[in-house]
Amino acid sequence: MKRSGRHKPAPEAYHSVAAALEVDPGGIWLIASHVGDTIGALAAGWQAALILREGNPHSTSARSRTTSGQDLDAIADQLIERYAAAANAS
């Protein structure tokens, strides 16, 4: 994989991953406990989920575009529910 020479939250870091995976950025999910990482992923066109933790406020600017939960299990449950509902609607 060719490295972008940039690090998160620079968009180039996310774009290089999508290119290496040959996947549309909108189909990639980043799950992190760092607000900056999720904001960077959203800016690059990815989906993002934030693991909430003490002292880690959920960014108002990203709130409407992210999934969040207290732990990875809570986020996984939300994503399973979301994608199961979408599959059943098709």
Side-chain angles (χ1 to χ4, degrees), residues 7-90:
H7 302 283
K8 298 180 297 178
E12 296 88 352
Y14 300 93
H15 295 309
S16 68
V17 170
L21 295 174
E22 299 179 354
V23 177
D24 181 292
I28 300 174
W29 275 88
L30 175 88
I31 300 173
S33 60
H34 299 94
V35 174
D37 290 340
T38 58
I39 290 172
L42 291 169
W46 292 24
Q47 303 292 317
L50 179 66
I51 298 173
L52 301 172
R53 59 189 172 122
E54 191 173 326
N56 189 13
H58 191 174
S59 170
T60 303
S61 65
R63 183 172 291 141
S64 65
R65 299 184 298 155
T66 61
T67 297
S68 63
Q70 294 300 317
D71 55 32
L72 188 56
D73 287 337
I75 290 172
D77 289 344
Q78 290 176 53
L79 295 179
I80 290 166
E81 183 177 322
R82 175 184 295 183
Y83 286 100
N88 290 334
S90 349

